[in-house]
Amino acid sequence: MEADFILQELMPALNRGLLKTLLLILPSASIGLCVGVLVGTARVYGHPLLKKLGDGYAGLFRGTPLVIQLFVLYFGLPNLGIYLEPYNAAVLGFILCTGAYQSEYVRGALLSIRRGQLLATQALGFSTLQAMIWIMVPQALRRALPGCGNEIIYLIKYSSLAYIITFIELTGEGKILATRYFRFTEVFLAIGFYYLVMVTLADFGLKKLEKRLYIPGFGKG
Amino acid sequence: MTSVETRPVLRVERICKKLGGKQILNEVSFELRKGELKVLIGPSGGGKSTLLQCINFLIPPDSGRIWLKDQEIHIHRKRDLYAYRQKVGMIFQDFNLFDHLNALENVAIALRKVKKMAKREALERALQELNRVGIGDKAALYPAQLSGGQKQRVSIARALAMDPEVMLLDEPTSALDPELIGEVLTVIRNLAQDGMTMILATHQIGFIRGLADEILFMQEGQIIEQGIPLDLLTAGKSSRTQSFCSKLHELSGEQEL
Ligand SMILES: Nc1ncnc2c1ncn2[C@@H]1O[C@H](COP(=O)(O)OP(=O)(O)O)[C@@H](O)[C@H]1O
Ligand SMILES: [Mg+2]
């Protein structure tokens, strides 16, 4: 009976949910990081107008709860005639939110790079864009990696908010099951375990990446 | 002091620069002919670094004109400006190597990304330049693993790889421990003897004595004295340069001038 529930009800539902969760996390994390790099760089080295825009964006999305952002995207935008599928609304919300935080880490890392290196690129004839791509951002990413990795870990967990706007991912599947069978403890413990595994794997991958990208003079040896 | 053509390689005319409400450069003009080494000396805060950075527009001058050979440089023509900067090598007091690249890549990166050279060719050229400054064996080391003298030599190799027409050196040995100064000065001496056109800000009076074609003494944003080392540095001649240098020597405790 117990094994039946776990094998035939719980696991299939949670695995289905897990797949949906991964479909949320993978694009959100990767595109969100790109947004963070672009916005973070614009906030430090961009045109003054771009800087203001970037600061405004980051302020807005770091200053409001993610649930509210998702509500606005899913329930609010239709008022403007824009209808988003739950999945699209969730991914867009996650990208915007995580991008704002990532931009903060990238910005801090860029500011910690000595200005002399930028002077050196200019003196060699680099354009600003070339200097960003080849010199400043690669260094900033290395310095920002621990923070950016941490944000990805957060994202894995707050991806559970997608079920609130009716995209049934891991937490959503579990909640439905728990309510139907009235087995809250087992189900939520199992969900927690799934997230723990994801976070542990992500952590492992990030540590590996940190090692791979290690360069003398950057962070710990 | 090698063959000197008549046409100037670099011409700087009446450069002015105000910073923080203060006139840092006040109508500074000079010319560099091919193969010439001119030395900028003068008290700290006199505007040497500002002048050198105005020459390649790292600091945009308020007014004044700059020519490389026959071409006048305009800061707003970005393409021309980037091309001009490739031909003007700059050496900084604190090296400014790229921390995430090893010595070889530090030299090769501008060849690849700015000059669009193929990777292999760029790395070959980079190694050649590292050998020229005597640190080919350090090619794989990162800036954090190099001594100050080695870092400065990498930065010189990085500038040389661009085939500059002129080099601007801003106190290249001031950030170095005394025992490391010699190796960098040797490289600069070799460059001068190979006929590189250079302007060098330095306090190493003994070094420039036999090497400089002209000394420009700079104070409060103006070149207030200029001439050949023999005229300006000989003890007994009452030049501002001479009295400044004597003070330097009293301070550093060096014996002969
Ligand atoms: N960004 C700035 N704002 C205001 N004053 C500056 C700035 N940069 C340099 N200065 C001033 O310009 C003067 C000349 O500096 P600098 O060119 O570095 O002289 P030097 O290289 O001969 O020591 C100094 O008095 C310095 O304080
Ligand atoms: Mg200076």
Side-chain angles (χ1 to χ4, degrees), chain A residues 66-68 70-71 74-75 86 90 94 158-169 171-172 175:
Chain A
L66 176 57
V67 188
I68 305 295
L70 292 175
F71 279 169
Y74 187 62
F75 297 112
F94 294 156
Y158 63 63
S159 70
S160 65
L161 288 177
Y163 90 88
I164 294 180
I165 56 168
T166 76
F167 182 75
I168 305 305
E169 39 61 80
T171 307
K175 190 162 173 289

Side-chain angles (χ1 to χ4, degrees), chain A residues 113-128 130 134-136 138-139 142-143 214-218, chain B residues 53 56 58 82 85-86 88-90 92 94-101 109-110 113-114 116 142 144-145 158-159 162:
Chain A
I113 301 173
R114 284 176 304 108
R115 202 181 95 84
Q117 291 191 57
L118 191 64
L119 288 181
T121 63
Q122 292 172 335
L124 287 162
F126 281 80
S127 69
T128 308
Q130 287 172 327
W134 300 109
I135 308 297
M136 303 309 271
Q139 290 186 50
R142 281 190 172 80
R143 287 177 198 266
Y214 171 71
I215 279 175
F218 280 81
Chain B
Q53 296 197 27
N56 62 1
L58 296 189
Y82 297 147
R85 282 173 172 166
Q86 289 175 46
V88 179
M90 178 134 204
F92 300 89
D94 43 8
F95 332 125
N96 293 338
L97 293 186
F98 306 131
D99 289 334
H100 64 309
L101 300 176
I109 187 86
K113 305 307 174 188
V114 179
K116 314 283 186 199
Y142 286 88
Q145 301 167 308
R158 180 174 70 178
M162 303 298 282

Side-chain angles (χ1 to χ4, degrees), chain A residues 78-134:
Chain A
N79 293 326
L80 302 175
I82 302 171
Y83 295 86
L84 292 177
E85 294 293 317
Y87 173 75
N88 293 339
V91 169
L92 183 60
F94 294 156
I95 288 173
L96 290 173
C97 177
T98 203
Y101 281 98
Q102 299 288 30
S103 83
E104 198 68 10
Y105 293 114
V106 172
R107 188 180 80 98
L110 279 172
L111 288 174
S112 76
I113 301 173
R114 284 176 304 108
R115 202 181 95 84
Q117 291 191 57
L118 191 64
L119 288 181
T121 63
Q122 292 172 335
L124 287 162
F126 281 80
S127 69
T128 308
L129 187 65
Q130 287 172 327
M132 291 302 134
I133 294 176
W134 300 109

Side-chain angles (χ1 to χ4, degrees), chain B residues 18-25 42-52 59 93 170-171 201 203 218 221:
Chain B
K18 242 187 189 143
L19 283 170
K22 202 176 136 218
Q23 196 74 39
I24 308 295
L25 295 178
S44 174
K48 302 182 293 294
S49 297
T50 309
L51 173 62
L52 292 178
I59 299 175
Q93 191 173 330
D170 190 2
E171 301 199 32
H203 292 289
M218 207 173 164

